[in-house]
Amino acid sequence: MVRNKDIDRSTGPLVVVIDDDETARVSIGQMVRLRGYRTQLFESAREALAWPGLPNSDCIICDVKMPGMGGEEFLARAGSLGFSCPVIMITGHGRVSMAVRCLKAGAYDFVEKPFEDDVLMASIRRAAEKTQLRRESNALKHRLSILDSDQDSHFGIVGRSRNIQDVFEQIEIVSKTVAPVLIIGETGTGKELVARAIHINSNRSQGPFVALNAAAIPETMIESELFGHAQGAFTGASSPRDGKLVTANGGTLLLDEIESLSLSAQAKLLRVLEDGEVFALGKDVSCVVDIRLLVTTKVDLKNLVRSGDMREDFYHRIMVYSIRIPPLRERLEDLTLLVSHFLRQLASRDGVAIPSIPEDTLGAMLRHGWPGNVRELRHTVERMLITARDGTVGPYLSDDGFGPSRLLSLPTTEGPLRDALEQTERNAIEDALARCKGEVVATASALGISRRALYERMKRYSLNKEDYRS
């Protein structure tokens, strides 16, 4: 039976410890708990197998030599029951043949007693990460198998994380008003999607939705684009033209990258917001419009006010309500949903079958920082779909064309640039070796490269893992 004192109800990955030696069992349990893991302790393999929660554990540590059912038999029984949790075998009577036998039988790792705490913890961390990746992969496969791809989307935006749920709630609130809204977010986070969601869910949804990127229009043309112009108002104005403000009458105008709007255009737009009158260039008669203004930015507008590049009265007028869209790195729990969504969407577009994604590929994607956010992810998934082979996605490459595991590409000729890059690469490897106490697998994982690549670089720089074990 499981003793109540052995049950840890805290949060974190769950590590099961099976050892008939109470001192060893309790010691390992304390070490693991101190590093933020939950633990479940058993004095026999039979007790562990009888526990209903065993299949949901993140990692199992099992002694090889135990009375009754030994570690090797436990490993075989767990395999026959379909348990996929990584099992780390430990023993004080290790032999090479035993280690080979256990690893061939499906053990995740084999650690000999006495062991350094950091050695066992490194193996536990990797095992728990493997379990998490497997769950993410299974979740992704589940999403791909569901015909209704909209179950985890709201307003056409995919996500179920708390951060994106907050955005959904804000869209609900602000859609009921006609106030200007400032949408803040990094490039690629989906600012226009949020703007369209506000429009579609407002009482202006039957009116036009007009978008204008202020940064894409030359400063000399931005006022013409916004306010329109009369024939002959300037060189090239061969015919009159309505501006975006008139086009958006009765609906919503989205001004993207509002920080690029000139001070003159800000003053004229402020007047439109105050009294609804639009004066086209070259005309003395105004046109009355009724618009809802939404603006986006990726910068801190307060700094523009302080520097004099944005009018303070204009800033306060557009800052009635603001929505911040979190970058993808702040809602990585949505990544598998987004990958599923994009794979389904792009595969349908191209008329191809939806390929599978290996766990290590998904793991690399979860570790990436995604500076280009959801847009970068979509481009990445599209490349992986295009290069898919035999029912599996192609290699994962980030938007710069390289995978996250790539270290420096050194120049082929000698010189100060090569020397500087080599020193940078060496420093990165030495720092990682020091953090991981010389443990090669953990170091390679921290650097995002293969063990083979790490060994090659260690050889190049004459680095010895033993120098970092202390």
Side-chain angles (χ1 to χ4, degrees):
M1 296 180 62
V2 182
R3 300 182 180 88
N4 288 336
K5 66 184 181 61
D6 290 334
I7 300 176
D8 182 356
R9 304 190 185 279
S10 60
T11 59
L14 174 61
V15 177
V16 171
V17 182
I18 308 170
D19 198 323
D20 62 307
D21 184 333
E22 183 177 7
T23 301
R25 184 173 68 247
V26 172
S27 176
I28 294 173
Q30 289 176 341
M31 175 189 72
V32 172
R33 280 194 295 272
L34 286 172
R35 287 161 173 82
Y37 294 81
R38 291 178 295 147
T39 59
Q40 194 87 26
L41 311 183
F42 297 95
E43 62 183 5
S44 77
R46 293 190 187 281
E47 286 183 358
L49 286 169
W51 182 52
L54 189 65
N56 297 320
S57 56
D58 294 270
C59 171
I60 299 172
I61 302 170
C62 184
D63 192 19
V64 175
K65 296 293 185 180
M66 292 186 293
M69 182 185 296
E72 291 186 74
E73 186 180 351
F74 167 81
L75 190 62
R77 290 287 301 277
S80 67
L81 292 171
F83 294 173
S84 55
C85 175
V87 180
I88 300 171
M89 308 298 288
I90 57 173
T91 183
H93 312 281
R95 297 189 305 273
V96 173
S97 59
M98 178 191 291
V100 171
R101 225 171 30 245
C102 289
L103 293 173
K104 281 186 175 181
Y108 177 75
D109 202 355
F110 190 93
V111 179
E112 289 188 70
K113 299 178 182 178
F115 47 77
E116 295 289 336
D117 288 357
D118 289 340
V119 171
L120 182 58
M121 284 307 308
S123 185
I124 292 171
R125 279 194 300 271
R126 294 194 304 272
E129 287 172 1
K130 179 180 176 65
T131 300
Q132 180 59 32
L133 291 179
R134 188 192 72 246
R135 288 172 181 158
E136 293 284 359
S137 180
N138 290 339
L140 176 59
K141 291 174 183 176
H142 176 64
R143 297 293 169 196
L144 292 176
S145 68
I146 295 174
L147 294 177
D148 181 10
S149 60
D150 294 329
Q151 67 166 347
D152 284 301
S153 69
H154 199 38
F155 305 122
I157 303 169
V158 176
R160 59 183 175 188
S161 65
R162 181 64 260 174
N163 283 342
I164 205 66
Q165 291 295 324
D166 288 342
V167 173
F168 295 158
E169 291 173 8
Q170 289 179 288
I171 291 173
E172 290 272 14
I173 292 170
V174 81
S175 293
K176 299 173 184 177
T177 76
V178 294
V181 180
L182 173 63
I183 305 169
I184 307 165
E186 297 177 6
T187 298
T189 49
K191 296 187 289 295
E192 185 168 338
L193 278 177
V194 170
R196 288 183 179 276
I198 293 171
H199 170 74
I200 290 170
N201 289 276
S202 72
N203 58 9
R204 293 172 173 263
S205 59
Q206 300 304 310
F209 177 86
V210 179
L212 176 66
N213 189 327
I217 309 296
E219 187 173 343
T220 55
M221 295 297 296
I222 188 66
E223 292 188 28
S224 173
E225 286 290 328
L226 270 176
F227 305 101
H229 61 258
Q231 182 176 353
F234 52 84
T235 303
S238 56
S239 60
R241 180 184 178 186
D242 287 335
K244 293 293 191 288
L245 286 163
V246 173
T247 305
N249 187 29
T252 303
L253 175 65
L254 168 65
L255 279 182
D256 197 14
E257 298 190 70
I258 193 67
E259 66 270 16
S260 301
L261 202 63
S262 67
L263 290 171
S264 172
Q266 290 175 31
K268 293 182 178 180
L269 183 56
L270 182 61
R271 179 174 180 177
V272 175
L273 295 175
E274 295 294 343
D275 56 28
E277 289 188 318
V278 176
F279 284 87
L281 299 180
K283 283 188 177 181
D284 296 326
V285 179
S286 67
C287 174
V288 177
V289 296
D290 173 24
I291 64 161
R292 167 74 174 286
L293 181 67
L294 307 177
V295 299
T296 76
T297 186
K298 59 179 181 290
V299 303
D300 186 346
L301 297 183
K302 291 180 182 178
N303 291 334
L304 296 184
V305 174
R306 284 191 284 267
S307 66
D309 294 313
M310 176 166 285
R311 293 172 59 102
E312 186 171 5
D313 51 0
F314 180 72
Y315 168 77
H316 289 300
R317 191 68 181 86
I318 64 175
M319 265 295 292
V320 174
Y321 194 95
S322 65
I323 298 176
R324 177 185 176 271
I325 308 178
L328 184 53
R329 63 181 175 276
E330 291 183 9
R331 58 181 189 110
L332 281 177
E333 56 265 52
D334 291 333
L335 186 135
T336 55
L337 295 175
L338 288 163
V339 171
S340 169
H341 172 74
F342 291 139
L343 271 179
R344 183 179 296 279
Q345 183 185 72
L346 295 167
S348 175
R349 180 199 69 182
D350 295 345
V352 299
I354 300 172
S356 62
I357 300 182
E359 288 184 15
D360 57 347
T361 298
L362 187 61
M365 296 177 78
L366 287 166
R367 289 191 294 270
H368 184 46
W370 300 106
N373 293 294
V374 179
R375 182 182 295 132
E376 179 189 356
L377 177 63
R378 187 184 190 280
H379 294 165
T380 299
V381 172
E382 186 168 16
R383 280 193 294 270
M384 293 165 67
L385 180 66
I386 292 171
T387 56
R389 294 291 183 274
D390 301 322
T392 303
V393 295
Y396 159 52
L397 301 173
S398 58
D399 256 357
D400 60 5
F402 300 106
S405 65
R406 184 178 186 268
L407 284 182
L408 296 174
S409 178
L410 301 176
T412 56
T413 57
E414 300 292 335
L417 177 58
R418 181 185 176 91
D419 293 342
L421 290 174
E422 282 186 337
Q423 187 59 51
T424 299
E425 184 175 71
R426 180 190 178 112
N427 291 343
I429 295 171
E430 287 187 309
D431 288 345
L433 282 167
R435 290 197 309 272
C436 299
K437 307 294 185 183
E439 213 284 314
V440 171
V441 175
T443 301
S445 176
L447 290 169
I449 62 176
S450 66
R451 277 180 287 180
R452 178 179 176 182
L454 176 58
Y455 277 124
E456 288 174 352
R457 285 163 170 81
M458 289 172 65
K459 182 178 179 182
R460 176 192 297 165
Y461 301 125
S462 301
L463 300 176
N464 189 335
K465 62 183 180 181
E466 300 301 330
D467 295 338
Y468 300 88
R469 291 213 182 270
S470 59

